[in-house]
Amino acid sequence: MSSKTAPPPAPGPTVAPVQPWAAAACWTAFLCPLPSVAWRAAMLAGADVGFGRADLFRTSAGGIAYVVALELIQVGAALACLGLCRPWGERLPPWVPGAGGRAVPRRLPVIVGGAGNLLLYLIIYAVALTFTLALLRDRPSWTPVEGMGPAQLVVFCLCYGPMPAWPVALTVGLVGHWRRHRRRR
């Protein structure tokens, strides 16, 4: 009886261990977006988060699709941040179709992560600045805080407060990843 088993993946090049500061930064980058994901998931599920226009997102297929897509992109990006310090970020897991066990090209995370990091800085800080300026003047109808009570506003701020730290933590994680792999020439 013949059984087909895949040969074990070839060992990859020796890489320096993950620096503790880089691992902490990667975990921070992973965790920063998760509270906002939870807030939007709660809003979509029907929780009274205080968002006056929540029904627009809950009752239309387009609104639901937008929120679900945003959640998936955000969680996927957070997981990619964590991959900078985890073994599966160095070598694809065996269950990945067609590429399982293959080494991740050493420059790929830095190039893709750097582009994503730049986008995070631009998006998060632009939105934070716009919201802050709008809230200092008045609560305009286009921000989620319209109609929120004090407790709901506190929850909103706690959920979205970590977001500005995400690109900073990712920058530190990318530097750590680059420093660990630059010696592999």
Side-chain angles (χ1 to χ4, degrees):
M1 186 165 157
S2 143
S3 67
K4 272 185 144 179
T5 58
T14 304
V15 178
V18 176
Q19 311 91 325
W21 55 268
C26 292
W27 276 99
T28 300
F30 169 69
L31 294 172
C32 280
L34 298 184
S36 66
V37 168
W39 185 89
R40 285 190 305 273
M43 180 270 303
L44 200 58
D48 183 13
V49 295
F51 181 29
R53 297 178 185 223
D55 284 341
L56 294 175
F57 291 95
R58 290 183 196 139
T59 59
S60 74
I64 292 169
Y66 169 76
V67 174
V68 169
L70 182 59
E71 305 292 67
L72 291 173
I73 290 168
Q74 202 165 337
V75 169
L79 280 169
C81 294
L82 191 56
L84 293 171
C85 72
R86 303 298 304 155
W88 51 265
E90 308 279 336
R91 181 168 301 284
L92 295 174
W95 52 264
V96 175
R102 291 190 184 173
V104 174
R106 67 182 173 92
R107 290 188 181 136
L108 184 65
V110 175
I111 293 168
V112 174
N117 199 19
L118 179 61
L119 283 174
L120 280 178
Y121 275 111
L122 292 173
I123 293 167
I124 290 172
Y125 286 111
V127 169
L129 178 63
T130 304
F131 271 35
T132 302
L133 292 175
L135 293 173
L136 290 174
R137 288 187 214 121
D138 193 11
R139 290 184 179 186
S141 63
W142 55 267
T143 66
V145 299
E146 175 195 21
M148 284 188 183
Q152 293 164 328
L153 188 57
V154 167
V155 170
F156 178 80
C157 289
L158 289 173
C159 289
Y160 279 85
M163 290 296 282
W166 186 11
V168 176
L170 177 54
T171 299
V172 174
L174 283 166
V175 168
H177 182 83
W178 175 78
R179 287 184 67 183
R180 278 188 313 121
H181 291 83
R182 71 181 171 163
R183 297 185 199 107
R184 257 208 294 180
R185 292 191 178 224

